[in-house]
Amino acid sequence: MDFEELIASALAVVAPRRLQGRLVGDVGAALLTFDGNRYVGVCVDTACGTGFCAEASAIAAMLTAGEERIARIVAVWRDERDDRIYVLPPCGRCREFIRQLHPDNLDTEVVLGSTRWAPLRELLPEHEWPEAIA
């Protein structure tokens, strides 16, 4: 699955709406596993801060299906004012979440645009446990 197909999968689940006065579904994510399966999810914003990113939602769907190795992942947001589409890099929490699921996920291709990507390890430097100083 190329970048454009994965971006389209993420965009297909973007459906902003209000839930108890908070915005949900304005960011969509799609991921492709090493086994070739695709999972999607949306972000959930809550008043008390217990919401989660679209990447975490897609990852939860993947984990529910029994998989843990992510080959490629993308998140997108559509600006409703001018209908422009943006690819969003994962936040630090999501980067660490991806890493902790499986050691191979350091090589996950994080889509950064329609033709750009970086391996997770480049977006998450100093991911190894530090050496003792004393």
Side-chain angles (χ1 to χ4, degrees):
M1 175 176 299
D2 66 24
F3 292 169
E4 290 298 326
E5 288 177 295
L6 200 62
I7 290 169
S9 292
L11 191 58
V13 296
V14 172
R17 62 188 173 95
R18 294 282 171 184
L19 181 66
Q20 297 295 315
R22 303 299 289 198
L23 187 61
V24 300
D26 63 320
V27 176
L31 66 83
L32 182 68
T33 66
F34 275 88
D35 291 338
N37 296 309
R38 180 179 39 193
Y39 299 95
V40 296
V42 298
C43 67
V44 177
D45 183 27
T46 61
C48 65
T50 59
F52 46 86
C53 298
E55 295 94 331
S57 179
I59 290 167
M62 174 192 71
L63 292 170
T64 300
E67 295 189 71
E68 58 197 35
R69 294 174 61 215
I70 303 169
R72 184 175 287 165
I73 191 165
V74 67
V76 299
W77 173 70
R78 174 183 280 139
D79 187 339
E80 292 181 336
R81 295 171 297 180
D82 60 11
D83 212 36
R84 293 175 64 181
I85 299 164
Y86 296 85
V87 172
L88 306 176
C91 70
R93 180 180 178 273
C94 286
R95 294 175 195 196
E96 182 63 21
F97 185 41
I98 293 166
R99 182 195 73 81
Q100 288 189 22
L101 296 176
H102 194 282
D104 291 347
N105 287 347
L106 280 170
D107 296 317
T108 296
E109 295 177 356
V110 178
V111 179
L112 301 171
S114 58
T115 59
R116 275 186 348 111
W117 67 276
L120 179 64
R121 70 175 63 251
E122 290 182 12
L123 301 177
L124 192 61
E126 302 298 326
H127 57 272
E128 297 293 331
W129 189 256
E131 293 182 23
I133 58 170

